[in-house]
Amino acid sequence: MKNLTAFIFAAILSIAVSTAQERGPRSEQKRSPEEIAKVQTERLTQSLGLDKPQQDSIYKSVLKIQQDFKGKGGNQDPGKWREIFDKQNQKIKSFLTKEQAVKYDELLQQQTNRRK
């Protein structure tokens, strides 16, 4: 379970980092929760073929979690990060079909492998 949590944390963090690199020099910390939610939703839509209701649900979920996170000053405790990103990952998966969830897990695994 501990390894799964670390894996999920690393995967979500890598999504955030790769997204920040694609958008230019602006760091993830300077992005608004709305920007983060939009970019993550767009990437997942492209990768998983999300329909409009899934896009809306995932956007709202990621936005709420990012607002909570940023509202707490972007807590620097790695244990708290894992908890937040694990919660976000589970929420995202709750909106996916079984096939999309498998693709999502593969995507997270690929991103984890790239970070090694």
Side-chain angles (χ1 to χ4, degrees):
M1 183 66 177
K2 188 174 185 178
N3 287 339
L4 177 62
T5 302
F7 164 75
I8 292 169
F9 170 73
I12 298 297
L13 188 60
S14 70
I15 289 172
V17 169
S18 67
T19 302
Q21 290 172 347
E22 287 180 7
R23 293 284 208 168
R26 192 170 179 196
S27 77
E28 188 70 20
Q29 293 176 343
K30 293 181 181 178
R31 287 190 177 184
S32 70
E34 292 81 5
E35 289 175 295
I36 294 168
K38 180 181 177 202
V39 169
Q40 285 186 351
T41 303
E42 288 172 353
R43 289 180 61 96
L44 291 175
T45 298
Q46 182 179 22
S47 299
L48 304 175
L50 302 178
D51 60 27
K52 184 66 173 155
Q54 287 174 314
Q55 291 174 33
D56 293 342
S57 297
I58 289 172
Y59 175 83
K60 289 175 187 173
S61 176
V62 172
L63 177 61
K64 181 177 179 348
I65 290 169
Q66 289 296 323
Q67 286 173 332
D68 291 346
F69 184 68
K70 297 272 182 170
K72 295 176 182 173
N75 191 332
Q76 299 297 319
D77 177 18
K80 190 65 176 169
W81 282 358
R82 279 189 210 114
E83 180 183 321
I84 289 168
F85 291 118
D86 183 39
K87 178 180 174 184
Q88 180 172 314
N89 185 53
Q90 293 304 315
K91 195 69 168 168
I92 288 171
K93 287 179 81 173
S94 74
F95 300 118
L96 303 177
T97 65
K98 287 184 181 185
E99 294 82 15
Q100 288 171 325
V102 169
K103 285 182 185 178
Y104 184 63
D105 287 337
E106 291 171 0
L107 177 67
L108 295 177
Q109 181 64 48
Q110 289 171 0
Q111 290 172 348
T112 299
N113 290 341
R114 278 188 235 143
R115 290 188 53 94
K116 289 183 179 181

